[in-house]
Structure formats: C-alpha cells, structure tokens
Amino acid sequence: MMRPWLAGFFDGEGSVGLYKMSGCHRGYEMRAQITQLCSPIVDRLFNQIHLEYGGNLYLRGDTPSTRRWRPTWHYTVTSMRAHFFLQTIRPWLLLKATQADHAMHAVILQQEGGHEAEIEAIALCLRAMKRS
C-alpha cells in the first residue's frame, strides 16, 4: 500500500487519541481509527490496511437494529500496533502530524513507567486538539 496516500486518507478520515483503560489495567491506550462508508474500493482498501497493520476491522450498520444507517467500515488499531501504523505514515501526515507525535510519545513514556502526569496531560491535549 502506498504510505503517502494512506497518510492523506488518515489525515482526512482518521483519528488518534489516548483513552483511559479501566479494570485491572491501568494507564492509557493509544488508538488510531479510520471510518468510511462501504463501497467495493473501500472494502478492498480496509481489508488491505487490516492485513498490513493488524488491529480490528468491523462492519457497522448491517444489522436489523442499524439498517437505517448505511454500512460503514471501522478500522481500529491500538497500543504498539497503533504506534507502528502511525510511525510508518508519519512522514506524510499533515493535519494529524502533531497528534500522532504526541500519542506516540505517550506510548513510549508509558512503557518506561513513572510518567503518569505527563501522559495525562498529553491525553487532555489530544482531546482538545480533536475539538478544535
């Protein structure tokens, strides 16, 4: 897959964030996501992204309770797979470059341990960037 094209697609249709984990796991999980209405081209594209980067791929809006919505592909990749995904497209990101940099930095800090306050600040910053 052409990474410059994927970066542009992610800039327009994707999102990246840090999400508080609950339960026995503590800390944050980085998540990169892309959502797009279904079409034959999009079907092939999302399956190729899933094959190359792993993560979760599911179709939404194809059940009796959601038939009023058009079917939509949702691709999500988390933690170190998300780090790898963003790292491979980072040289071509424009709109989400800063968000990707902050999120990837937070993953590294979390692996090192002892940086909870800094990671929390990065998560808040990413949420604010999504709203602006």
Side-chain angles (χ1 to χ4, degrees), residues 99 123-132:
Q99 293 175 22
L124 290 172
C125 177
L126 286 172
R127 280 196 291 278
M129 291 172 90
K130 283 184 180 183
R131 285 187 227 122
S132 61

Side-chain angles (χ1 to χ4, degrees), residues 23-123:
C24 63
H25 296 20
R26 295 182 185 187
Y28 284 84
E29 175 181 73
M30 178 171 56
R31 193 178 309 156
Q33 304 172 100
I34 309 172
T35 302
Q36 186 72 15
L37 290 174
C38 293
S39 75
I41 292 171
V42 172
D43 295 352
R44 287 193 303 271
L45 169 67
F46 271 66
N47 279 294
Q48 182 62 38
I49 294 169
H50 184 246
L51 278 172
E52 191 165 334
Y53 296 101
N56 296 303
L57 177 62
Y58 65 95
L59 186 62
R60 185 172 179 182
D62 199 27
T63 64
S65 64
T66 59
R67 288 260 156 76
R68 63 181 181 223
W69 298 311
R70 290 176 59 191
T72 307
W73 280 114
H74 293 271
Y75 172 71
T76 304
V77 64
T78 60
S79 302
M80 289 311 292
R81 286 181 187 238
H83 189 281
F84 175 71
F85 171 75
L86 292 173
Q87 193 173 37
T88 61
I89 63 172
R90 174 56 185 92
W92 302 280
L93 286 175
L94 299 175
L95 302 175
K96 293 191 173 71
T98 303
Q99 293 175 22
D101 290 342
H102 287 319
M104 289 188 292
H105 180 64
V107 167
I108 300 303
L109 289 175
Q110 187 162 294
Q111 284 189 328
E112 291 174 357
H115 300 279
E116 290 80 12
E118 188 174 355
I119 295 167
E120 175 77 24
I122 292 170

